Amino acid sequence: LKWLMALLGLVGSLACAQEIYQEKSLYRNIIVFEDQGLRCMKFERHNTGRQSCISLREPNALVLNYTKTLLGALYLNPEPAKILIIGLGGGTMPSTLQKIIPQAKIDSVELDPSVAKVAKQFFGFSPGPQSAVFIEDGRVFVKRAQKQGKTYDLIILDAFDHIYVPEHMLTREYLLEVKSLLAKNGVLAANTFSVSKLYDSESATYASAFGPFYNLKTENRVILARNGGLPPLAEIKANAQQVETKIAHFGTGKEWLLPLFSADVQWPAGTRILTD
């Protein structure tokens, strides 16, 4: 009964939503809508998932829990100087990180030029002088960055189509390409689903590329790994204290984030690894 009521509530909420923009791009159908003080982007009209949301009353507040969870990456490295974000959406993460670490150089990669346009037009995304947006496939960007010898202190993987992470960005080969761009003690943060048919294989694949990782679960799960091995929880807690005042402005902090950290192995031994 509870799940039925929740579903009916979701359907009712979507029915009340006001669509303010629609575009059929080369890659997807982009919908921007407003509902209960939020402005959100989704891909495809009948998809209930939201790619990005902002609060119309509190523009700095992070609305979706996975965006708050991604800031847990700063507990592994509080001051990344060079950041790569693959998957722009509404520009929430580069916008937030620009404010938290204004001196950081941020490269964002987005396949769909229409998504980048919508992020600027409807979600307040405005790349600062230290930020750049690259319109191309994320894996192509990674391969080119490899050849150029680029490295990053923080890499965020947040590329989604209307269903899930694109297949060519789920494999061990891709993750090893991403890992090659991490500087010494560089941090990887990947947004995935907490429940999916690929959960075990996805977990085993990340472990095969990065070794042990922290698993942070809300509606989504965020995988956090560090080049050279995970820091102990004592270091995580010290870093959390260091960045607390910086991230509190965005509606998150150590009281909410720290209990989410877990390094437990939650998939069976011998689970199939995803490959090209």
PDB file of all heavy atoms in Angstrom, residues 5 8 10 27 53 67 72 98 101 115 122 124 169 193 210 224 237-238 255 271:
ATOM      1  N   MET A   5       0.846   4.317  -2.722  1.00  0.00           N
ATOM      2  CA  MET A   5       0.574   5.698  -2.370  1.00  0.00           C
ATOM      3  C   MET A   5       1.706   6.614  -2.815  1.00  0.00           C
ATOM      4  O   MET A   5       1.477   7.731  -3.303  1.00  0.00           O
ATOM      5  CB  MET A   5       0.357   5.818  -0.854  1.00  0.00           C
ATOM      6  CG  MET A   5      -0.922   5.150  -0.360  1.00  0.00           C
ATOM      7  SD  MET A   5      -1.075   5.194   1.438  1.00  0.00           S
ATOM      8  CE  MET A   5      -1.262   6.950   1.710  1.00  0.00           C
ATOM      9  N   LEU A   8       1.389   7.034  -6.574  1.00  0.00           N
ATOM     10  CA  LEU A   8       0.306   7.948  -6.899  1.00  0.00           C
ATOM     11  C   LEU A   8       0.691   9.388  -6.575  1.00  0.00           C
ATOM     12  O   LEU A   8       0.347  10.317  -7.312  1.00  0.00           O
ATOM     13  CB  LEU A   8      -0.960   7.555  -6.132  1.00  0.00           C
ATOM     14  CG  LEU A   8      -1.636   6.251  -6.578  1.00  0.00           C
ATOM     15  CD1 LEU A   8      -2.772   5.899  -5.627  1.00  0.00           C
ATOM     16  CD2 LEU A   8      -2.149   6.364  -8.012  1.00  0.00           C
ATOM     17  N   LEU A  10       3.769  10.576  -6.676  1.00  0.00           N
ATOM     18  CA  LEU A  10       4.709  10.995  -7.712  1.00  0.00           C
ATOM     19  C   LEU A  10       3.980  11.350  -8.988  1.00  0.00           C
ATOM     20  O   LEU A  10       4.245  12.391  -9.607  1.00  0.00           O
ATOM     21  CB  LEU A  10       5.721   9.869  -7.968  1.00  0.00           C
ATOM     22  CG  LEU A  10       6.732  10.118  -9.111  1.00  0.00           C
ATOM     23  CD1 LEU A  10       7.584  11.352  -8.803  1.00  0.00           C
ATOM     24  CD2 LEU A  10       7.609   8.897  -9.303  1.00  0.00           C
ATOM     25  N   TYR A  27      20.442  14.012 -29.503  1.00  0.00           N
ATOM     26  CA  TYR A  27      20.649  12.828 -28.677  1.00  0.00           C
ATOM     27  C   TYR A  27      19.450  12.439 -27.818  1.00  0.00           C
ATOM     28  O   TYR A  27      19.312  11.291 -27.430  1.00  0.00           O
ATOM     29  CB  TYR A  27      21.864  13.047 -27.747  1.00  0.00           C
ATOM     30  CG  TYR A  27      23.137  13.305 -28.514  1.00  0.00           C
ATOM     31  CD1 TYR A  27      23.601  14.598 -28.707  1.00  0.00           C
ATOM     32  CD2 TYR A  27      23.863  12.260 -29.065  1.00  0.00           C
ATOM     33  CE1 TYR A  27      24.775  14.846 -29.412  1.00  0.00           C
ATOM     34  CE2 TYR A  27      25.039  12.487 -29.769  1.00  0.00           C
ATOM     35  CZ  TYR A  27      25.484  13.783 -29.944  1.00  0.00           C
ATOM     36  OH  TYR A  27      26.633  14.021 -30.656  1.00  0.00           O
ATOM     37  N   CYS A  53      18.192  19.545 -10.717  1.00  0.00           N
ATOM     38  CA  CYS A  53      17.168  20.407 -10.134  1.00  0.00           C
ATOM     39  C   CYS A  53      17.831  21.557  -9.391  1.00  0.00           C
ATOM     40  O   CYS A  53      18.909  21.388  -8.810  1.00  0.00           O
ATOM     41  CB  CYS A  53      16.285  19.639  -9.141  1.00  0.00           C
ATOM     42  SG  CYS A  53      15.106  18.487  -9.881  1.00  0.00           S
ATOM     43  N   THR A  67      23.933  14.928  -5.421  1.00  0.00           N
ATOM     44  CA  THR A  67      24.857  16.053  -5.557  1.00  0.00           C
ATOM     45  C   THR A  67      25.500  16.392  -4.213  1.00  0.00           C
ATOM     46  O   THR A  67      26.683  16.721  -4.146  1.00  0.00           O
ATOM     47  CB  THR A  67      24.147  17.289  -6.144  1.00  0.00           C
ATOM     48  OG1 THR A  67      23.035  17.662  -5.319  1.00  0.00           O
ATOM     49  CG2 THR A  67      23.634  17.003  -7.541  1.00  0.00           C
ATOM     50  N   GLY A  72      31.185  14.602  -0.840  1.00  0.00           N
ATOM     51  CA  GLY A  72      31.998  13.748   0.018  1.00  0.00           C
ATOM     52  C   GLY A  72      33.383  13.512  -0.555  1.00  0.00           C
ATOM     53  O   GLY A  72      34.310  13.130   0.173  1.00  0.00           O
ATOM     54  N   GLN A  98      32.880  25.729  -8.156  1.00  0.00           N
ATOM     55  CA  GLN A  98      33.438  27.054  -8.416  1.00  0.00           C
ATOM     56  C   GLN A  98      33.328  27.941  -7.186  1.00  0.00           C
ATOM     57  O   GLN A  98      34.223  28.727  -6.884  1.00  0.00           O
ATOM     58  CB  GLN A  98      32.677  27.740  -9.563  1.00  0.00           C
ATOM     59  CG  GLN A  98      33.166  27.395 -10.945  1.00  0.00           C
ATOM     60  CD  GLN A  98      32.437  28.141 -12.042  1.00  0.00           C
ATOM     61  OE1 GLN A  98      32.807  28.056 -13.198  1.00  0.00           O
ATOM     62  NE2 GLN A  98      31.393  28.873 -11.727  1.00  0.00           N
ATOM     63  N   ILE A 101      35.642  26.211  -4.193  1.00  0.00           N
ATOM     64  CA  ILE A 101      37.088  26.295  -4.461  1.00  0.00           C
ATOM     65  C   ILE A 101      37.297  27.217  -5.662  1.00  0.00           C
ATOM     66  O   ILE A 101      37.538  26.747  -6.790  1.00  0.00           O
ATOM     67  CB  ILE A 101      37.694  24.893  -4.747  1.00  0.00           C
ATOM     68  CG1 ILE A 101      37.125  23.847  -3.792  1.00  0.00           C
ATOM     69  CG2 ILE A 101      39.215  24.925  -4.656  1.00  0.00           C
ATOM     70  CD1 ILE A 101      37.408  22.428  -4.182  1.00  0.00           C
ATOM     71  N   VAL A 115      22.140  20.401 -24.051  1.00  0.00           N
ATOM     72  CA  VAL A 115      22.146  20.326 -22.593  1.00  0.00           C
ATOM     73  C   VAL A 115      22.962  21.475 -22.009  1.00  0.00           C
ATOM     74  O   VAL A 115      22.555  22.129 -21.038  1.00  0.00           O
ATOM     75  CB  VAL A 115      22.685  18.964 -22.108  1.00  0.00           C
ATOM     76  CG1 VAL A 115      22.948  18.980 -20.600  1.00  0.00           C
ATOM     77  CG2 VAL A 115      21.705  17.848 -22.449  1.00  0.00           C
ATOM     78  N   PHE A 122      18.570  28.067 -18.211  1.00  0.00           N
ATOM     79  CA  PHE A 122      17.531  27.807 -17.206  1.00  0.00           C
ATOM     80  C   PHE A 122      18.055  27.456 -15.816  1.00  0.00           C
ATOM     81  O   PHE A 122      17.288  27.456 -14.857  1.00  0.00           O
ATOM     82  CB  PHE A 122      16.623  26.673 -17.686  1.00  0.00           C
ATOM     83  CG  PHE A 122      15.787  27.033 -18.885  1.00  0.00           C
ATOM     84  CD1 PHE A 122      16.172  26.636 -20.156  1.00  0.00           C
ATOM     85  CD2 PHE A 122      14.632  27.796 -18.755  1.00  0.00           C
ATOM     86  CE1 PHE A 122      15.418  26.972 -21.269  1.00  0.00           C
ATOM     87  CE2 PHE A 122      13.871  28.137 -19.857  1.00  0.00           C
ATOM     88  CZ  PHE A 122      14.261  27.732 -21.119  1.00  0.00           C
ATOM     89  N   GLY A 124      21.195  28.671 -14.427  1.00  0.00           N
ATOM     90  CA  GLY A 124      22.162  29.619 -13.876  1.00  0.00           C
ATOM     91  C   GLY A 124      23.609  29.201 -14.017  1.00  0.00           C
ATOM     92  O   GLY A 124      24.486  29.732 -13.308  1.00  0.00           O
ATOM     93  N   MET A 169      30.907   3.630 -20.956  1.00  0.00           N
ATOM     94  CA  MET A 169      31.479   4.300 -19.798  1.00  0.00           C
ATOM     95  C   MET A 169      31.272   3.481 -18.524  1.00  0.00           C
ATOM     96  O   MET A 169      31.338   4.001 -17.411  1.00  0.00           O
ATOM     97  CB  MET A 169      30.854   5.690 -19.644  1.00  0.00           C
ATOM     98  CG  MET A 169      31.134   6.586 -20.834  1.00  0.00           C
ATOM     99  SD  MET A 169      30.228   8.139 -20.748  1.00  0.00           S
ATOM    100  CE  MET A 169      31.590   9.283 -20.832  1.00  0.00           C
ATOM    101  N   PHE A 193      23.586   4.074  -9.589  1.00  0.00           N
ATOM    102  CA  PHE A 193      22.323   3.764  -8.922  1.00  0.00           C
ATOM    103  C   PHE A 193      22.561   2.860  -7.709  1.00  0.00           C
ATOM    104  O   PHE A 193      23.425   1.991  -7.736  1.00  0.00           O
ATOM    105  CB  PHE A 193      21.365   3.054  -9.879  1.00  0.00           C
ATOM    106  CG  PHE A 193      20.704   3.955 -10.887  1.00  0.00           C
ATOM    107  CD1 PHE A 193      19.841   3.438 -11.838  1.00  0.00           C
ATOM    108  CD2 PHE A 193      20.942   5.326 -10.908  1.00  0.00           C
ATOM    109  CE1 PHE A 193      19.221   4.252 -12.773  1.00  0.00           C
ATOM    110  CE2 PHE A 193      20.339   6.146 -11.834  1.00  0.00           C
ATOM    111  CZ  PHE A 193      19.478   5.613 -12.773  1.00  0.00           C
ATOM    112  N   PHE A 210      40.178   0.331  -9.436  1.00  0.00           N
ATOM    113  CA  PHE A 210      40.629   1.283  -8.418  1.00  0.00           C
ATOM    114  C   PHE A 210      40.983   0.656  -7.082  1.00  0.00           C
ATOM    115  O   PHE A 210      41.512   1.339  -6.202  1.00  0.00           O
ATOM    116  CB  PHE A 210      39.541   2.344  -8.181  1.00  0.00           C
ATOM    117  CG  PHE A 210      39.315   3.242  -9.355  1.00  0.00           C
ATOM    118  CD1 PHE A 210      38.266   3.013 -10.228  1.00  0.00           C
ATOM    119  CD2 PHE A 210      40.156   4.321  -9.601  1.00  0.00           C
ATOM    120  CE1 PHE A 210      38.047   3.834 -11.319  1.00  0.00           C
ATOM    121  CE2 PHE A 210      39.955   5.152 -10.687  1.00  0.00           C
ATOM    122  CZ  PHE A 210      38.908   4.909 -11.558  1.00  0.00           C
ATOM    123  N   LEU A 224      33.505   6.438  -4.168  1.00  0.00           N
ATOM    124  CA  LEU A 224      34.656   7.302  -3.945  1.00  0.00           C
ATOM    125  C   LEU A 224      35.912   6.450  -3.833  1.00  0.00           C
ATOM    126  O   LEU A 224      35.981   5.539  -2.997  1.00  0.00           O
ATOM    127  CB  LEU A 224      34.486   8.120  -2.657  1.00  0.00           C
ATOM    128  CG  LEU A 224      33.333   9.131  -2.602  1.00  0.00           C
ATOM    129  CD1 LEU A 224      33.313   9.816  -1.236  1.00  0.00           C
ATOM    130  CD2 LEU A 224      33.462  10.162  -3.715  1.00  0.00           C
ATOM    131  N   LYS A 237      37.529  12.143   8.575  1.00  0.00           N
ATOM    132  CA  LYS A 237      36.875  12.995   9.572  1.00  0.00           C
ATOM    133  C   LYS A 237      37.609  14.322   9.738  1.00  0.00           C
ATOM    134  O   LYS A 237      36.976  15.383   9.903  1.00  0.00           O
ATOM    135  CB  LYS A 237      36.786  12.257  10.904  1.00  0.00           C
ATOM    136  CG  LYS A 237      35.825  11.080  10.879  1.00  0.00           C
ATOM    137  CD  LYS A 237      35.819  10.314  12.197  1.00  0.00           C
ATOM    138  CE  LYS A 237      34.848   9.144  12.138  1.00  0.00           C
ATOM    139  NZ  LYS A 237      34.862   8.347  13.401  1.00  0.00           N
ATOM    140  N   ALA A 238      38.939  14.308   9.665  1.00  0.00           N
ATOM    141  CA  ALA A 238      39.710  15.551   9.774  1.00  0.00           C
ATOM    142  C   ALA A 238      39.434  16.457   8.581  1.00  0.00           C
ATOM    143  O   ALA A 238      39.263  17.674   8.731  1.00  0.00           O
ATOM    144  CB  ALA A 238      41.199  15.233   9.876  1.00  0.00           C
ATOM    145  N   GLU A 255      27.535  15.841   9.513  1.00  0.00           N
ATOM    146  CA  GLU A 255      26.547  15.080  10.261  1.00  0.00           C
ATOM    147  C   GLU A 255      25.722  14.181   9.348  1.00  0.00           C
ATOM    148  O   GLU A 255      25.276  13.098   9.739  1.00  0.00           O
ATOM    149  CB  GLU A 255      25.619  16.026  11.036  1.00  0.00           C
ATOM    150  CG  GLU A 255      26.318  16.868  12.090  1.00  0.00           C
ATOM    151  CD  GLU A 255      27.020  16.010  13.126  1.00  0.00           C
ATOM    152  OE1 GLU A 255      26.446  14.971  13.523  1.00  0.00           O
ATOM    153  OE2 GLU A 255      28.155  16.358  13.523  1.00  0.00           O
ATOM    154  N   THR A 271      32.256 -12.160  -9.207  1.00  0.00           N
ATOM    155  CA  THR A 271      31.279 -11.437 -10.006  1.00  0.00           C
ATOM    156  C   THR A 271      31.913 -11.003 -11.332  1.00  0.00           C
ATOM    157  O   THR A 271      33.066 -10.578 -11.371  1.00  0.00           O
ATOM    158  CB  THR A 271      30.775 -10.190  -9.248  1.00  0.00           C
ATOM    159  OG1 THR A 271      30.085 -10.620  -8.076  1.00  0.00           O
ATOM    160  CG2 THR A 271      29.841  -9.363 -10.104  1.00  0.00           C
TER     161      THR A 271
END
